C-alpha cells in the first residue's frame, strides 16, 4: 500500500524463451510456412498466364535468393529439420494423439518427396546455372511428374497447417477466425495445384518443347541421386542415434512414478512425465502436444519435487502466467531421474477439445472487460431490516444491475454476496467490451438512484456502490460440473478489476476505471481524477480514472497532430 492506495499484484517477468528449442522450431517453422505459402500462391497465378507467374516469381526470388533471404531459408530448413529429428530421437514412447502422429508422418515424408525437386531446380541452378524459370520447369514436370509434384505440395501444406492449427488453437481470436482460415487452408492448395497444371497444359499446347542444355539430363540424374542419398544418410544417422539411446535406456534404471489411487508406472530413463503417463496408459491432458505452449499437462508433485531440476524458461514462463503454487510442474517439460508421486490437475476429457465440443470447456484466451460492483454497507443495513425485506431489496438490486449489464451485451459471471462480477466482450461482435462496460456502469449508477427512491421509506439513507472496470487478457472457461458449469474469467486482469473496485473505498468514489480501458473505448469521464496506482514489481504503475458517477461520459478528444 502506498499513500493509502492498495497496490496491485505484479505480472510475471518475461522469460528467455528464445533460448529454448521449442521457440526455434516454431520460429523456423513459420519462416518455412511463409516460403511455402508464397511459392504456392505463385503457382496459383498460372490461372492468369505463364508470364504473370514469371513476374511474381521474379519478385519472390528477389528476396529468397538474396544473401539474407537464402541464409534465412536454408538456415530455417536445417534448424527446423534438425530439432524435429532430435525431438523424435528423444521420444521414449510412440503413444501420442492422432494429430501428432499425422504431423510427424507428414514431416518425415517431406525430405524424400522434395529431394528430387530441390536438386533438379535449385541444385542445377546453383551449380550449373540452369534457368529454372517456370517456362522450363513446367515443361520438365508436365505431364510425367504432375502427380508427384502435386503430392509434395499437399504434404508440405498439410504439415504446415496442422502445426499452425495446434499452435493457434489456444489463442482466443483463433476461434472467431477459424472458419475463415479453414476455407483458406482448403483454397490455397486447390488453386495452387490447378494453377500450375493449367499453366503447364497451356504451355504444352501453345509452345514447342524448349531445348534443354545436355547437363540437365546428364548431371541432373546424378544430382538427384546424391540428394536422395543425403536424405537417407541423415535419416540413417538419426535412426542409429535413436537405437543407441534406446540401448542406453535399456541398461539404465528408470524412475517409478506413482499416480492417484496408488498406481505406479516404471518409467523409461530420460522420458518426460507426459511420455511416462502415455506409455503407462495413464490419461493425461496436453492441448499443445507437449510443446510447452499451454499448461493443461500440469501436475502437482506431492513427493520428490525437491530433487527435480528447476523449470526451464519455457516452463517457468507458463507457470508464472497461471501463478502456479509450489510443487506444480509441466509434465511435458520435466524429465525425472528419481521416483515421484504426482497428480494430474486437468482431466483429459475437459482439456482435449474435439469437434463440436464447447471450446470454453478447456479455456480460451481473449481480451475482455471485467467489471466488479459492490453494494456498500449492505451488511449494516440488513441488520436494521427484517430478513424478508433484506432479501427483497437485494433481489431488486441484482435485478436492476443485471438488466443494465445485459442491455449492453454483458454477462453476469456471478453474484458475490452483495456484489456482482460481470464480463463484457464475450459475445461475438462486441470487441473487447470496454465501451459496453462503461455504458453499463453509467446505467447501473442511474438504476441505483431509482432504487433509492423506491426504498426511501424503508432504508432511510441513500444506497452506495463501488464499481471497478479493467480491460485486458483473460482466460474464459466453463467451471463446474455437469449442467451447472458456468462461464467465468481467470487471470491477472480479473484481479486488477477486483482491486480497482476496492479502491473506491480508499478514494471515496463510486467508479474506478483503468485508463487503458477508457482509451480502448475511445471515451473520457468529465471531472474524473486521474492518478497512478503503484504496482508491486513494476517501475510504472497503473493509471486509473476515479469519479463519483459516469454522467459525464463522453467521446474522448482526438490526439493533437
Amino acid at each position: 500500500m502506498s499513500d493509502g492506495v492498495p497496490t496491485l499484484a505484479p505480472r510475471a517477468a518475461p522469460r528467455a524463451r528464445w533460448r529454448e528449442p521449442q521457440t526455434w522450431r516454431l520460429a523456423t517453422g513459420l519462416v518455412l510456412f511463409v516460403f511455402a505459402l508464397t511459392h504456392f500462391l505463385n503457382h496459383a497465378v498460372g490461372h492468369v498466364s505463364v508470364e504473370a507467374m514469371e513476374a511474381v516469381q521474379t519478385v519472390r526470388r528477389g528476396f529468397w535468393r538474396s544473401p539474407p533471404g537464402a541464409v534465412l531459408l536454408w538456415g530455417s530448413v536445417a534448424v527446423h529439420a534438425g530439432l524435429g529429428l532430435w525431438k523424435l530421437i528423444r521420444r521414449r514412447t510412440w503413444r501420442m494423439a492422432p494429430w501428432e502422429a499425422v504431423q510427424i508422418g507428414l514431416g518425415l515424408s517431406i525430405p524424400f518427396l522434395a529431394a528430387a525437386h530441390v536438386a533438379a531446380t535449385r541444385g542445377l541452378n546453383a551449380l550449373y546455372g540452369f534457368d529454372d524459370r517456370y517456362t522450363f520447369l513446367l515443361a520438365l514436370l508436365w505431364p510425367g511428374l504432375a502427380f508427384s509434384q502435386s503430392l509434395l505440395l499437399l504434404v508440405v501444406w498439410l504439415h504446415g497447417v496442422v502445426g499452425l492449427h495446434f499452435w493457434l488453437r489456444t489463442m482466443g481470436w483463433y476461434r472467431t477466425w477459424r472458419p475463415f482460415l479453414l476455407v483458406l487452408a482448403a483454397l490455397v492448395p486447390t488453386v495452387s495445384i490447378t494453377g500450375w497444371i493449367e499453366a503447364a497444359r497451356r504451355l504444352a499446347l501453345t509452345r514447342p518443347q524448349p531445348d534443354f542444355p545436355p547437363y540437365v539430363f546428364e548431371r541432373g540424374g546424378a544430382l538427384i541421386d546424391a540428394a536422395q542419398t543425403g536424405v537417407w544418410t541423415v535419416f540413417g544417422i538419426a535412426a542409429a542415434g535413436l537405437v543407441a539411446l534406446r540401448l542406453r535406456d535399456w541398461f539404465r534404471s528408470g524412475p517409478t512414478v506413482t499416480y492417484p489411487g496408488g498406481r505406479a508406472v516404471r518409467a523409461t530413463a530420460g522420458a518426460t512425465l507426459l511420455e511416462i503417463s502415455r506409455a503407462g496408459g495413464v490419461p493425461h491432458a496436453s492441448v499443445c502436444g507437449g510443446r510447452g505452449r499451454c499448461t493443461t499437462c500440469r501436475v502437482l508433485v506431492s513427493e520428490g519435487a525437491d530433487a527435480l531440476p528447476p523449470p526451464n524458461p519455457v516452463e517457468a514462463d507458463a507457470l508464472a502466467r497461471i501463478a502456479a503454487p509450489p510443487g506444480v510442474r509441466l509434465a511435458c517439460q520435466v524429465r525425472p531421474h528419481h521416483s515421484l508421486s504426482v497428480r494430474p490437475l486437468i482431466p483429459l476429457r475437459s482439456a482435449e477439445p474435439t469437434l463440436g465440443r464447447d471450446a470454453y470447456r478447456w479455456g480460451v484466451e481473449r481480451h475482455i472487460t471485467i467489471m466488479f460492483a459492490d453494494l456498500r454497507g449492505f451488511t449494516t443495513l440488513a441488520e436494521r431490516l427484517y430478513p424478508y425485506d433484506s432479501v427483497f431489496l437485494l433481489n431488486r438490486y441484482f435485478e436492476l444491475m443485471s438488466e443494465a449489464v445485459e442491455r449492453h451485451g454483458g454477462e453476469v459471471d456471478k453474484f458475490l454476496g452483495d456484489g456482482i462480477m460481470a464480463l463484457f466482450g464475450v459475445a461475438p461482435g462486441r470487441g473487447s467490451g470496454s465501451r459496453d462496460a462503461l455504458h453499463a456502469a453509467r446505467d447501473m449508477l442511474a438504476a441505483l438512484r431509482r432504487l433509492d427512491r423506491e426504498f426511501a421509506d424503508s432504508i432511510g439513507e441513500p444506497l452506495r456502490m463501488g464499481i471497478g472496470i479493467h480491460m485486458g487478457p483473460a482466460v474464459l472457461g466453463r467451471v463446474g460440473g455437469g449442467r451447472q458449469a458456468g462461464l467465468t474469467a481467470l487471470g491477472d486482469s480479473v484481479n486488477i478489476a477486483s482491486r480497482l473496485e476496492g479502491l473506491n473505498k480508499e478514494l471515496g468514489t463510486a467508479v474506478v476505471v483503468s485508463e487503458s480501458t477508457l482509451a480502448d473505448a475511445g471515451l473520457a469521464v468529465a471531472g474524473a481524477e486521474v492518478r497512478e496506482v503503484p504496482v508491486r514489481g513494476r517501475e510504472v504503475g497503473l493509471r486509473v480514472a476515479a469519479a463519483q458517477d459516469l454522467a459525464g461520459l463522453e467521446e474522448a478528444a482526438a490526439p493533437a497532430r
Side-chain angles (χ1 to χ4, degrees), residues 388-456:
Y388 286 107
D389 291 339
S390 298
V391 171
F392 180 72
L393 171 60
L394 197 57
N395 280 332
R396 182 64 177 146
Y397 165 76
F398 285 144
E399 178 185 355
L400 292 177
M401 299 303 120
S402 298
E403 287 177 356
V405 168
E406 293 169 1
R407 186 184 309 125
H408 293 282
E411 295 186 18
V412 174
D413 181 304
K414 58 178 67 73
F415 298 107
L416 308 164
D418 54 6
I420 297 174
M421 175 181 171
L423 308 177
F424 296 83
V426 176
R430 310 295 299 202
S432 62
S434 54
R435 197 177 185 92
D436 291 333
L438 291 165
H439 287 150
R442 180 187 59 191
D443 290 358
M444 291 167 69
L445 291 170
L448 191 69
R449 302 283 71 83
R450 297 199 303 272
L451 203 61
D452 278 340
R453 295 191 292 271
E454 186 176 334
F455 288 88

Side-chain angles (χ1 to χ4, degrees), residues 256-266 282 302-303 340-343:
T256 298
V257 178
T258 304
Y259 295 86
R263 181 177 182 180
V265 174
R266 186 71 174 180
V282 178
S302 55
E303 294 183 14
L340 300 174
S341 292
V342 303
R343 177 166 63 87

